[in-house]
Amino acid sequence: MIAIYLLFILMLSVFVGFELIRKVPATLHTPLMSGANAISGITLIGALSMAGGESGQWATWLGAAAAFFATVNVVGGYMVTDRMLAMFKKR
Amino acid sequence: MFDFTLLINAVYVISATLFILGLKLLSHPSTARKGNLVSSIAMFVAIIVTLLDKNIVSFEWIVISIITGSVVGGFAAKRIEMTSMPELVSLFNGIGGLASVAVGWSTVLGNSDLSIFVLFVTFLALLIGGVTFSGSVVAWAKLSEKIAGRPLVFKGQAFANVLLLVLVCLSAYLFITEPTLLTWHYLVIGLALVLGVMVVLPIGGADMPVVISLLNSYSGLAACAAGFALENNLLIVAGALVGASGIILTNIMCKAMNRSLVNVLTSGFQAVVKNEM
């Protein structure tokens, strides 16, 4: 049952995602891509519970590695996007 | 100890709303920078509240990986030349895919009694995450001219790719039926990595931004699959948002270049595509 409930959430979010990016000017393609990329670093919150949990040594280490990678993606992603957009404004 | 589950999920709702709002603001030139800020706040709030999770018992690894990750990511973002930003985005994207692989793998290693559904979505997280990682690394290498930027095609490529897909399906079956055998974990991840390379190699030149956008969409889907494996609503919502908006953005970019999405996607499955641009 929980699978169905999760699929329900998935379906709704997909539609929201489609609708959000309907009309976007060409200049924003790259920043938008970069910004969305930073959001995909949300894996971090999954990684946190693996890195701090107690389901075996390997699971913890992989969780810590995942948390590291995801943090690089999140922090780097948001900062690069901000730099791109800051550059935009000056022009 | 007090159970924070309700609080965590309530904050996740707020966080998901902010992500949607952030993406919306990000798609208009005048509000784009604010949108990025809103979405980073959503991420920050989600991370902080997740630390209250009762399953988290030790914090040393979390602290170490978050600090080192922030330093590496921040340093790379600050120091990069303006001209090489697309490469960096591609690389970050690949790293995000790698994170999904690690989360998926950690899930199967940490639990021995997973349902078939969870095993299937974990397989998807490993597969999509692996494709995202190796594909993004190839895209990065092409953009930074570490390898030739033109489309790389060879004889029998279509056959090799079909064979690869069959092997991927086989590995899914083996992985789901015998999840405790480490060999199948390596097989799934290895095949995903090869598949990512094979998908991006035949694409080149002006199509590269499209591929990066597509891989970005994949990294969202990988996060989404990991969300199913961990039964985490926010991972599913944010992953699906990135996945769906990434596909649409890819489509818009294709149209701007007079190419169809299918045409770019299946470059490895057909005879050499002549790029008129």
Side-chain angles (χ1 to χ4, degrees):
Chain A
M1 190 57 207
I2 192 145
I4 298 294
Y5 157 72
L6 293 173
L7 279 172
F8 200 25
I9 296 177
L10 172 72
M11 190 219 28
L12 292 173
S13 326
V14 166
F15 274 100
V16 173
F18 276 146
E19 287 303 318
L20 281 175
I21 313 297
R22 272 220 176 280
K23 286 179 196 137
V24 55
T27 46
L28 277 181
H29 285 175
T30 314
L32 190 64
M33 193 156 77
S34 175
N37 174 39
I39 296 179
S40 72
I42 189 71
T43 325
L44 179 55
I45 64 168
L48 288 180
S49 52
M50 306 311 298
E54 40 186 11
S55 34
Q57 200 178 29
W58 279 106
T60 308
W61 284 353
L62 274 170
F68 168 73
F69 293 136
T71 312
V72 172
N73 190 6
V74 168
V75 175
Y78 280 122
M79 284 175 69
V80 158
T81 314
D82 194 60
R83 261 186 81 183
M84 278 182 207
L85 293 168
M87 196 163 66
F88 256 42
K89 250 188 185 155
K90 278 175 205 147
R91 265 185 223 155
Chain B
M1 203 179 130
F2 183 68
D3 193 0
F4 286 108
T5 314
L6 187 66
L7 174 71
I8 293 176
N9 281 292
V11 175
Y12 279 179
V13 174
I14 298 171
S15 187
T17 316
L18 288 178
F19 274 132
I20 294 171
L21 199 65
L23 264 182
K24 184 158 182 58
L25 292 173
L26 204 55
S27 57
H28 296 285
S30 54
T31 54
R33 209 171 171 192
K34 205 161 93 192
N36 192 45
L37 187 69
V38 168
S39 119
S40 67
I41 291 170
M43 182 69 78
F44 184 73
V45 170
I47 293 167
I48 297 297
V49 81
T50 304
L51 293 175
L52 296 174
D53 191 327
K54 62 177 180 338
N55 289 325
I56 299 181
V57 286
S58 66
F59 286 89
E60 62 249 50
W61 282 111
I62 294 179
V63 172
I64 293 171
S65 35
I66 285 195
I67 290 177
T68 48
S70 307
V71 169
V72 172
F75 194 72
K78 274 262 182 268
R79 294 299 296 271
I80 193 78
E81 299 285 326
M82 290 288 180
T83 47
S84 32
M85 274 185 185
E87 283 111 286
L88 190 68
V89 172
S90 171
L91 205 57
F92 280 153
N93 190 33
I95 291 172
L98 202 57
S100 294
V101 172
V103 169
W105 202 1
S106 174
T107 312
V108 269
L109 287 179
N111 302 289
S112 44
D113 53 341
L114 294 168
S115 70
I116 290 181
F117 177 75
V118 172
L119 283 170
F120 177 69
V121 288
T122 309
F123 163 77
L124 286 182
L126 292 177
L127 178 70
I128 306 172
V131 168
T132 309
F133 172 64
S134 62
S136 298
V137 169
V138 174
W140 165 78
K142 280 193 172 196
L143 281 172
S144 57
E145 284 161 355
K146 297 259 186 306
I147 58 172
R150 66 189 158 76
L152 286 174
V153 276
F154 56 87
K155 226 177 160 194
Q157 194 161 18
F159 176 73
N161 284 339
V162 171
L163 186 71
L164 195 58
L165 285 184
V166 172
L167 285 174
V168 167
C169 295
L170 185 70
S171 75
Y173 174 75
L174 292 169
F175 177 77
I176 291 168
T177 45
E178 258 180 292
T180 45
L181 208 58
L182 268 179
T183 319
W184 305 142
H185 301 184
Y186 297 136
L187 185 70
V188 169
I189 296 171
L191 283 173
L193 294 177
V194 176
L195 187 62
V197 173
M198 294 295 275
V199 165
V200 179
L201 271 185
I203 306 172
D207 284 342
M208 286 319 285
V210 177
V211 177
I212 296 176
S213 175
L214 187 70
L215 288 169
N216 178 33
S217 165
Y218 285 174
S219 73
L221 294 178
C224 195
F228 271 96
L230 299 170
E231 290 177 355
N232 184 318
N233 293 340
L234 185 60
L235 268 180
I236 297 176
V237 172
L241 282 176
V242 175
S245 63
I247 290 278
I248 288 288
L249 188 61
T250 312
N251 205 11
I252 296 173
M253 288 164 91
C254 281
K255 270 188 193 145
M257 298 197 324
N258 269 328
R259 299 259 273 136
S260 82
L261 183 55
V262 179
N263 199 255
V264 175
L265 276 181
T266 55
S267 302
F269 292 89
Q270 43 187 268
V272 185
V273 182
K274 281 273 182 286
N275 198 350
E276 294 90 8
M277 305 283 290

